[in-house]
Amino acid sequence: QVQLVESGGGSVQPGGSLRVSCVARGYTWSGWCMAWFRQAPGKEREGVAVIYTGGGRTSYADSVRGRFTISRDRAKNAVYLQMNTLEPEDSAMYYCGQASRGMDANTHLDPNQYTYWGQGTQVTVS
């Protein structure tokens, strides 16, 4: 059973930076996507950034492209999201998700396609 554990959230002023981390424990699917999602109160969960853990390909939602960077450390089974130039609209609970099958550009930021989830870490920009 895969367990995902997020950390690193917090409060920051607009224009500031934060890095959130996700460590995968237990069996992991080598090469499958890992992604960051976020959910603000009253809104649906949305995909923010994805990384294909095998080859390192990344993709971002339009709202964060150029400000956020997703990366991985395969030796640590960890994925990171560096968030720069944060805006109040970025405030949300951030979740790490791991897929258990192949993805493509049409599915890799769709939360319904992900199997494993962490408990989330809160990011507040104000």
Side-chain angles (χ1 to χ4, degrees), residues 6-50:
E6 301 103 332
S7 62
S11 296
V12 66
Q13 293 183 345
S17 298
L18 280 175
R19 189 178 84 152
V20 290
S21 302
C22 173
V23 176
R25 299 171 178 166
Y27 182 72
T28 56
W29 296 91
S30 178
W32 303 132
C33 290
M34 291 188 73
W36 285 97
F37 298 82
R38 66 186 180 187
Q39 188 166 18
K43 295 188 177 181
E44 294 186 353
R45 189 169 297 190
E46 63 172 349
V48 173
V50 58

mmCIF file of all heavy atoms in Angstrom, residues 6-50:
data_model
loop_
_atom_site.group_PDB
_atom_site.id
_atom_site.type_symbol
_atom_site.label_atom_id
_atom_site.label_comp_id
_atom_site.label_asym_id
_atom_site.label_seq_id
_atom_site.Cartn_x
_atom_site.Cartn_y
_atom_site.Cartn_z
ATOM 1 N N GLU A 6 2.705 14.640 2.745
ATOM 2 C CA GLU A 6 3.081 15.992 2.335
ATOM 3 C C GLU A 6 3.575 16.787 3.534
ATOM 4 O O GLU A 6 3.184 16.531 4.672
ATOM 5 C CB GLU A 6 1.899 16.753 1.705
ATOM 6 C CG GLU A 6 1.297 16.113 0.481
ATOM 7 C CD GLU A 6 -0.004 15.414 0.765
ATOM 8 O OE1 GLU A 6 -0.175 14.961 1.911
ATOM 9 O OE2 GLU A 6 -0.859 15.328 -0.129
ATOM 10 N N SER A 7 4.392 17.781 3.244
ATOM 11 C CA SER A 7 4.856 18.702 4.264
ATOM 12 C C SER A 7 5.295 19.992 3.590
ATOM 13 O O SER A 7 5.437 20.049 2.364
ATOM 14 C CB SER A 7 6.016 18.095 5.065
ATOM 15 O OG SER A 7 7.116 17.835 4.214
ATOM 16 N N GLY A 8 5.496 21.037 4.406
ATOM 17 C CA GLY A 8 6.083 22.266 3.892
ATOM 18 C C GLY A 8 5.130 23.404 3.637
ATOM 19 O O GLY A 8 5.547 24.487 3.232
ATOM 20 N N GLY A 9 3.841 23.202 3.856
ATOM 21 C CA GLY A 9 2.912 24.309 3.670
ATOM 22 C C GLY A 9 3.096 25.375 4.735
ATOM 23 O O GLY A 9 3.907 25.233 5.658
ATOM 24 N N GLY A 10 2.343 26.449 4.617
ATOM 25 C CA GLY A 10 2.432 27.512 5.598
ATOM 26 C C GLY A 10 1.785 28.772 5.087
ATOM 27 O O GLY A 10 1.031 28.744 4.111
ATOM 28 N N SER A 11 2.084 29.875 5.758
ATOM 29 C CA SER A 11 1.544 31.179 5.390
ATOM 30 C C SER A 11 2.651 32.066 4.857
ATOM 31 O O SER A 11 3.771 32.059 5.381
ATOM 32 C CB SER A 11 0.893 31.835 6.607
ATOM 33 O OG SER A 11 -0.217 31.084 7.049
ATOM 34 N N VAL A 12 2.343 32.810 3.831
ATOM 35 C CA VAL A 12 3.336 33.681 3.213
ATOM 36 C C VAL A 12 2.617 34.902 2.642
ATOM 37 O O VAL A 12 1.429 34.848 2.326
ATOM 38 C CB VAL A 12 4.107 32.905 2.118
ATOM 39 C CG1 VAL A 12 3.191 32.531 0.967
ATOM 40 C CG2 VAL A 12 5.306 33.676 1.626
ATOM 41 N N GLN A 13 3.342 35.987 2.500
ATOM 42 C CA GLN A 13 2.777 37.204 1.903
ATOM 43 C C GLN A 13 2.778 37.088 0.386
ATOM 44 O O GLN A 13 3.582 36.335 -0.191
ATOM 45 C CB GLN A 13 3.580 38.415 2.340
ATOM 46 C CG GLN A 13 3.468 38.720 3.826
ATOM 47 C CD GLN A 13 4.224 39.971 4.220
ATOM 48 O OE1 GLN A 13 5.059 40.469 3.464
ATOM 49 N NE2 GLN A 13 3.909 40.494 5.399
ATOM 50 N N PRO A 14 1.906 37.828 -0.277
ATOM 51 C CA PRO A 14 1.932 37.838 -1.742
ATOM 52 C C PRO A 14 3.312 38.182 -2.270
ATOM 53 O O PRO A 14 3.993 39.068 -1.738
ATOM 54 C CB PRO A 14 0.912 38.914 -2.099
ATOM 55 C CG PRO A 14 -0.041 38.931 -0.951
ATOM 56 C CD PRO A 14 0.797 38.638 0.263
ATOM 57 N N GLY A 15 3.720 37.444 -3.295
ATOM 58 C CA GLY A 15 5.047 37.626 -3.860
ATOM 59 C C GLY A 15 6.096 36.723 -3.248
ATOM 60 O O GLY A 15 7.216 36.628 -3.763
ATOM 61 N N GLY A 16 5.747 36.041 -2.155
ATOM 62 C CA GLY A 16 6.686 35.171 -1.483
ATOM 63 C C GLY A 16 6.769 33.791 -2.110
ATOM 64 O O GLY A 16 6.133 33.501 -3.135
ATOM 65 N N SER A 17 7.557 32.937 -1.466
ATOM 66 C CA SER A 17 7.807 31.586 -1.982
ATOM 67 C C SER A 17 7.613 30.545 -0.889
ATOM 68 O O SER A 17 7.808 30.824 0.295
ATOM 69 C CB SER A 17 9.245 31.473 -2.504
ATOM 70 O OG SER A 17 9.466 32.351 -3.577
ATOM 71 N N LEU A 18 7.250 29.345 -1.329
ATOM 72 C CA LEU A 18 7.156 28.184 -0.453
ATOM 73 C C LEU A 18 7.540 26.956 -1.259
ATOM 74 O O LEU A 18 7.385 26.938 -2.481
ATOM 75 C CB LEU A 18 5.732 27.989 0.083
ATOM 76 C CG LEU A 18 5.237 28.821 1.257
ATOM 77 C CD1 LEU A 18 3.766 28.530 1.505
ATOM 78 C CD2 LEU A 18 6.063 28.554 2.504
ATOM 79 N N ARG A 19 8.027 25.936 -0.568
ATOM 80 C CA ARG A 19 8.249 24.640 -1.204
ATOM 81 C C ARG A 19 7.525 23.582 -0.405
ATOM 82 O O ARG A 19 7.724 23.479 0.803
ATOM 83 C CB ARG A 19 9.733 24.297 -1.299
ATOM 84 C CG ARG A 19 9.974 23.049 -2.150
ATOM 85 C CD ARG A 19 11.440 22.708 -2.313
ATOM 86 N NE ARG A 19 11.939 21.924 -1.189
ATOM 87 C CZ ARG A 19 12.954 21.065 -1.291
ATOM 88 N NH1 ARG A 19 13.556 20.881 -2.463
ATOM 89 N NH2 ARG A 19 13.358 20.406 -0.222
ATOM 90 N N VAL A 20 6.685 22.818 -1.079
ATOM 91 C CA VAL A 20 6.019 21.692 -0.439
ATOM 92 C C VAL A 20 6.637 20.392 -0.944
ATOM 93 O O VAL A 20 7.120 20.322 -2.078
ATOM 94 C CB VAL A 20 4.492 21.711 -0.683
ATOM 95 C CG1 VAL A 20 3.852 22.858 0.079
ATOM 96 C CG2 VAL A 20 4.158 21.803 -2.167
ATOM 97 N N SER A 21 6.632 19.401 -0.067
ATOM 98 C CA SER A 21 7.274 18.127 -0.355
ATOM 99 C C SER A 21 6.280 16.987 -0.202
ATOM 100 O O SER A 21 5.336 17.074 0.592
ATOM 101 C CB SER A 21 8.442 17.890 0.611
ATOM 102 O OG SER A 21 9.382 18.936 0.536
ATOM 103 N N CYS A 22 6.528 15.920 -0.929
ATOM 104 C CA CYS A 22 5.696 14.718 -0.845
ATOM 105 C C CYS A 22 6.623 13.508 -0.902
ATOM 106 O O CYS A 22 7.374 13.355 -1.875
ATOM 107 C CB CYS A 22 4.709 14.684 -1.998
ATOM 108 S SG CYS A 22 3.762 13.140 -2.130
ATOM 109 N N VAL A 23 6.549 12.689 0.127
ATOM 110 C CA VAL A 23 7.342 11.466 0.172
ATOM 111 C C VAL A 23 6.407 10.274 0.036
ATOM 112 O O VAL A 23 5.397 10.179 0.739
ATOM 113 C CB VAL A 23 8.142 11.369 1.481
ATOM 114 C CG1 VAL A 23 8.882 10.045 1.543
ATOM 115 C CG2 VAL A 23 9.119 12.523 1.590
ATOM 116 N N ALA A 24 6.748 9.385 -0.879
ATOM 117 C CA ALA A 24 5.956 8.174 -1.098
ATOM 118 C C ALA A 24 6.574 7.018 -0.337
ATOM 119 O O ALA A 24 7.745 6.696 -0.531
ATOM 120 C CB ALA A 24 5.891 7.855 -2.578
ATOM 121 N N ARG A 25 5.782 6.383 0.530
ATOM 122 C CA ARG A 25 6.247 5.240 1.312
ATOM 123 C C ARG A 25 5.487 3.991 0.891
ATOM 124 O O ARG A 25 4.326 4.054 0.541
ATOM 125 C CB ARG A 25 6.044 5.511 2.804
ATOM 126 C CG ARG A 25 6.828 6.715 3.297
ATOM 127 C CD ARG A 25 6.467 7.111 4.713
ATOM 128 N NE ARG A 25 7.267 8.242 5.167
ATOM 129 C CZ ARG A 25 6.979 8.959 6.247
ATOM 130 N NH1 ARG A 25 5.927 8.661 6.983
ATOM 131 N NH2 ARG A 25 7.763 9.960 6.610
ATOM 132 N N GLY A 26 6.153 2.880 0.943
ATOM 133 C CA GLY A 26 5.528 1.652 0.495
ATOM 134 C C GLY A 26 5.857 1.399 -0.964
ATOM 135 O O GLY A 26 6.754 1.989 -1.531
ATOM 136 N N TYR A 27 5.143 0.523 -1.588
ATOM 137 C CA TYR A 27 5.423 0.173 -2.965
ATOM 138 C C TYR A 27 5.102 1.329 -3.899
ATOM 139 O O TYR A 27 4.053 1.941 -3.791
ATOM 140 C CB TYR A 27 4.606 -1.045 -3.369
ATOM 141 C CG TYR A 27 4.875 -1.514 -4.766
ATOM 142 C CD1 TYR A 27 6.061 -2.146 -5.097
ATOM 143 C CD2 TYR A 27 3.939 -1.318 -5.763
ATOM 144 C CE1 TYR A 27 6.315 -2.584 -6.373
ATOM 145 C CE2 TYR A 27 4.175 -1.746 -7.050
ATOM 146 C CZ TYR A 27 5.366 -2.373 -7.346
ATOM 147 O OH TYR A 27 5.607 -2.798 -8.615
ATOM 148 N N THR A 28 5.985 1.650 -4.786
ATOM 149 C CA THR A 28 5.731 2.724 -5.741
ATOM 150 C C THR A 28 5.871 2.182 -7.163
ATOM 151 O O THR A 28 6.682 1.315 -7.426
ATOM 152 C CB THR A 28 6.700 3.889 -5.557
ATOM 153 O OG1 THR A 28 8.033 3.393 -5.658
ATOM 154 C CG2 THR A 28 6.503 4.543 -4.220
ATOM 155 N N TRP A 29 5.109 2.734 -8.051
ATOM 156 C CA TRP A 29 5.107 2.346 -9.445
ATOM 157 C C TRP A 29 6.131 3.162 -10.208
ATOM 158 O O TRP A 29 5.915 4.328 -10.469
ATOM 159 C CB TRP A 29 3.728 2.541 -10.051
ATOM 160 C CG TRP A 29 2.687 1.674 -9.431
ATOM 161 C CD1 TRP A 29 1.887 1.975 -8.384
ATOM 162 C CD2 TRP A 29 2.336 0.344 -9.836
ATOM 163 N NE1 TRP A 29 1.053 0.921 -8.098
ATOM 164 C CE2 TRP A 29 1.303 -0.092 -8.975
ATOM 165 C CE3 TRP A 29 2.789 -0.515 -10.819
ATOM 166 C CZ2 TRP A 29 0.717 -1.361 -9.080
ATOM 167 C CZ3 TRP A 29 2.200 -1.765 -10.921
ATOM 168 C CH2 TRP A 29 1.190 -2.177 -10.061
ATOM 169 N N SER A 30 7.214 2.574 -10.530
ATOM 170 C CA SER A 30 8.271 3.288 -11.225
ATOM 171 C C SER A 30 7.786 3.768 -12.587
ATOM 172 O O SER A 30 7.252 2.998 -13.375
ATOM 173 C CB SER A 30 9.486 2.377 -11.409
ATOM 174 O OG SER A 30 10.490 3.046 -12.121
ATOM 175 N N GLY A 31 7.969 5.050 -12.843
ATOM 176 C CA GLY A 31 7.605 5.609 -14.124
ATOM 177 C C GLY A 31 6.232 6.235 -14.180
ATOM 178 O O GLY A 31 5.919 6.976 -15.102
ATOM 179 N N TRP A 32 5.371 5.956 -13.196
ATOM 180 C CA TRP A 32 4.040 6.552 -13.216
ATOM 181 C C TRP A 32 4.104 8.001 -12.783
ATOM 182 O O TRP A 32 5.049 8.432 -12.139
ATOM 183 C CB TRP A 32 3.087 5.791 -12.297
ATOM 184 C CG TRP A 32 2.924 4.347 -12.588
ATOM 185 C CD1 TRP A 32 2.990 3.323 -11.692
ATOM 186 C CD2 TRP A 32 2.668 3.716 -13.874
ATOM 187 N NE1 TRP A 32 2.789 2.133 -12.314
ATOM 188 C CE2 TRP A 32 2.588 2.321 -13.648
ATOM 189 C CE3 TRP A 32 2.498 4.199 -15.167
ATOM 190 C CZ2 TRP A 32 2.325 1.409 -14.674
ATOM 191 C CZ3 TRP A 32 2.263 3.296 -16.189
ATOM 192 C CH2 TRP A 32 2.170 1.918 -15.926
ATOM 193 N N CYS A 33 3.072 8.747 -13.120
ATOM 194 C CA CYS A 33 3.025 10.157 -12.785
ATOM 195 C C CYS A 33 2.811 10.394 -11.298
ATOM 196 O O CYS A 33 2.092 9.649 -10.631
ATOM 197 C CB CYS A 33 1.881 10.827 -13.531
ATOM 198 S SG CYS A 33 2.131 10.988 -15.298
ATOM 199 N N MET A 34 3.446 11.444 -10.841
ATOM 200 C CA MET A 34 3.096 12.031 -9.557
ATOM 201 C C MET A 34 2.760 13.483 -9.819
ATOM 202 O O MET A 34 3.385 14.129 -10.670
ATOM 203 C CB MET A 34 4.233 11.897 -8.554
ATOM 204 C CG MET A 34 4.474 10.452 -8.117
ATOM 205 S SD MET A 34 5.670 10.318 -6.770
ATOM 206 C CE MET A 34 4.706 10.942 -5.392
ATOM 207 N N ALA A 35 1.776 14.000 -9.090
ATOM 208 C CA ALA A 35 1.287 15.339 -9.389
ATOM 209 C C ALA A 35 0.866 16.054 -8.124
ATOM 210 O O ALA A 35 0.587 15.436 -7.095
ATOM 211 C CB ALA A 35 0.112 15.261 -10.360
ATOM 212 N N TRP A 36 0.828 17.361 -8.239
ATOM 213 C CA TRP A 36 0.302 18.215 -7.182
ATOM 214 C C TRP A 36 -1.051 18.761 -7.616
ATOM 215 O O TRP A 36 -1.207 19.225 -8.757
ATOM 216 C CB TRP A 36 1.256 19.355 -6.878
ATOM 217 C CG TRP A 36 2.452 18.926 -6.107
ATOM 218 C CD1 TRP A 36 3.685 18.626 -6.593
ATOM 219 C CD2 TRP A 36 2.531 18.746 -4.688
ATOM 220 N NE1 TRP A 36 4.526 18.270 -5.579
ATOM 221 C CE2 TRP A 36 3.844 18.347 -4.387
ATOM 222 C CE3 TRP A 36 1.627 18.900 -3.638
ATOM 223 C CZ2 TRP A 36 4.272 18.082 -3.091
ATOM 224 C CZ3 TRP A 36 2.046 18.635 -2.353
ATOM 225 C CH2 TRP A 36 3.347 18.228 -2.082
ATOM 226 N N PHE A 37 -1.960 18.730 -6.664
ATOM 227 C CA PHE A 37 -3.291 19.274 -6.868
ATOM 228 C C PHE A 37 -3.574 20.260 -5.749
ATOM 229 O O PHE A 37 -2.898 20.258 -4.709
ATOM 230 C CB PHE A 37 -4.337 18.145 -6.834
ATOM 231 C CG PHE A 37 -4.138 17.124 -7.918
ATOM 232 C CD1 PHE A 37 -3.223 16.102 -7.765
ATOM 233 C CD2 PHE A 37 -4.868 17.196 -9.085
ATOM 234 C CE1 PHE A 37 -3.018 15.159 -8.767
ATOM 235 C CE2 PHE A 37 -4.672 16.258 -10.101
ATOM 236 C CZ PHE A 37 -3.751 15.247 -9.930
ATOM 237 N N ARG A 38 -4.592 21.076 -5.933
ATOM 238 C CA ARG A 38 -4.985 21.971 -4.856
ATOM 239 C C ARG A 38 -6.502 22.113 -4.835
ATOM 240 O O ARG A 38 -7.169 21.941 -5.863
ATOM 241 C CB ARG A 38 -4.309 23.337 -5.006
ATOM 242 C CG ARG A 38 -4.746 24.147 -6.218
ATOM 243 C CD ARG A 38 -3.896 25.402 -6.315
ATOM 244 N NE ARG A 38 -4.283 26.229 -7.471
ATOM 245 C CZ ARG A 38 -3.623 27.302 -7.855
ATOM 246 N NH1 ARG A 38 -2.528 27.690 -7.199
ATOM 247 N NH2 ARG A 38 -4.048 28.002 -8.898
ATOM 248 N N GLN A 39 -6.993 22.406 -3.667
ATOM 249 C CA GLN A 39 -8.436 22.573 -3.511
ATOM 250 C C GLN A 39 -8.695 23.682 -2.505
ATOM 251 O O GLN A 39 -8.277 23.594 -1.344
ATOM 252 C CB GLN A 39 -9.088 21.272 -3.041
ATOM 253 C CG GLN A 39 -10.597 21.304 -3.043
ATOM 254 C CD GLN A 39 -11.206 19.930 -2.902
ATOM 255 O OE1 GLN A 39 -10.567 18.969 -2.481
ATOM 256 N NE2 GLN A 39 -12.480 19.799 -3.278
ATOM 257 N N ALA A 40 -9.359 24.722 -2.980
ATOM 258 C CA ALA A 40 -9.761 25.826 -2.122
ATOM 259 C C ALA A 40 -11.188 25.568 -1.634
ATOM 260 O O ALA A 40 -11.942 24.823 -2.269
ATOM 261 C CB ALA A 40 -9.686 27.135 -2.895
ATOM 262 N N PRO A 41 -11.575 26.182 -0.532
ATOM 263 C CA PRO A 41 -12.933 25.966 -0.003
ATOM 264 C C PRO A 41 -14.002 26.285 -1.048
ATOM 265 O O PRO A 41 -13.953 27.328 -1.701
ATOM 266 C CB PRO A 41 -12.998 26.937 1.176
ATOM 267 C CG PRO A 41 -11.584 27.085 1.619
ATOM 268 C CD PRO A 41 -10.769 27.033 0.362
ATOM 269 N N GLY A 42 -14.930 25.367 -1.225
ATOM 270 C CA GLY A 42 -16.026 25.576 -2.161
ATOM 271 C C GLY A 42 -15.682 25.341 -3.612
ATOM 272 O O GLY A 42 -16.520 25.545 -4.490
ATOM 273 N N LYS A 43 -14.454 24.928 -3.880
ATOM 274 C CA LYS A 43 -14.026 24.697 -5.260
ATOM 275 C C LYS A 43 -13.627 23.243 -5.459
ATOM 276 O O LYS A 43 -13.336 22.528 -4.512
ATOM 277 C CB LYS A 43 -12.862 25.619 -5.623
ATOM 278 C CG LYS A 43 -13.229 27.094 -5.622
ATOM 279 C CD LYS A 43 -12.097 27.931 -6.170
ATOM 280 C CE LYS A 43 -12.492 29.400 -6.242
ATOM 281 N NZ LYS A 43 -11.401 30.240 -6.813
ATOM 282 N N GLU A 44 -13.595 22.825 -6.716
ATOM 283 C CA GLU A 44 -13.167 21.476 -7.042
ATOM 284 C C GLU A 44 -11.640 21.366 -6.966
ATOM 285 O O GLU A 44 -10.919 22.352 -7.119
ATOM 286 C CB GLU A 44 -13.649 21.102 -8.445
ATOM 287 C CG GLU A 44 -15.153 20.992 -8.563
ATOM 288 C CD GLU A 44 -15.598 20.488 -9.924
ATOM 289 O OE1 GLU A 44 -14.753 20.359 -10.813
ATOM 290 O OE2 GLU A 44 -16.801 20.211 -10.083
ATOM 291 N N ARG A 45 -11.197 20.143 -6.755
ATOM 292 C CA ARG A 45 -9.751 19.903 -6.759
ATOM 293 C C ARG A 45 -9.228 20.075 -8.190
ATOM 294 O O ARG A 45 -9.815 19.563 -9.142
ATOM 295 C CB ARG A 45 -9.453 18.493 -6.257
ATOM 296 C CG ARG A 45 -7.999 18.207 -6.029
ATOM 297 C CD ARG A 45 -7.785 16.896 -5.291
ATOM 298 N NE ARG A 45 -8.379 16.941 -3.955
ATOM 299 C CZ ARG A 45 -8.187 16.018 -3.019
ATOM 300 N NH1 ARG A 45 -7.413 14.971 -3.282
ATOM 301 N NH2 ARG A 45 -8.770 16.114 -1.843
ATOM 302 N N GLU A 46 -8.129 20.793 -8.331
ATOM 303 C CA GLU A 46 -7.576 21.053 -9.655
ATOM 304 C C GLU A 46 -6.109 20.653 -9.720
ATOM 305 O O GLU A 46 -5.367 20.777 -8.737
ATOM 306 C CB GLU A 46 -7.708 22.535 -10.021
ATOM 307 C CG GLU A 46 -6.951 23.477 -9.123
ATOM 308 C CD GLU A 46 -6.948 24.918 -9.632
ATOM 309 O OE1 GLU A 46 -7.351 25.154 -10.783
ATOM 310 O OE2 GLU A 46 -6.524 25.803 -8.862
ATOM 311 N N GLY A 47 -5.705 20.170 -10.882
ATOM 312 C CA GLY A 47 -4.324 19.805 -11.091
ATOM 313 C C GLY A 47 -3.451 21.028 -11.259
ATOM 314 O O GLY A 47 -3.826 21.973 -11.947
ATOM 315 N N VAL A 48 -2.290 21.023 -10.637
ATOM 316 C CA VAL A 48 -1.366 22.153 -10.662
ATOM 317 C C VAL A 48 -0.123 21.819 -11.483
ATOM 318 O O VAL A 48 0.274 22.581 -12.359
ATOM 319 C CB VAL A 48 -0.961 22.529 -9.224
ATOM 320 C CG1 VAL A 48 0.122 23.590 -9.236
ATOM 321 C CG2 VAL A 48 -2.166 23.010 -8.437
ATOM 322 N N ALA A 49 0.494 20.680 -11.179
ATOM 323 C CA ALA A 49 1.729 20.294 -11.863
ATOM 324 C C ALA A 49 1.894 18.783 -11.790
ATOM 325 O O ALA A 49 1.491 18.166 -10.807
ATOM 326 C CB ALA A 49 2.939 20.981 -11.227
ATOM 327 N N VAL A 50 2.478 18.224 -12.828
ATOM 328 C CA VAL A 50 2.687 16.779 -12.890
ATOM 329 C C VAL A 50 4.101 16.494 -13.352
ATOM 330 O O VAL A 50 4.680 17.262 -14.127
ATOM 331 C CB VAL A 50 1.665 16.112 -13.837
ATOM 332 C CG1 VAL A 50 1.744 16.682 -15.246
ATOM 333 C CG2 VAL A 50 1.811 14.591 -13.852
#
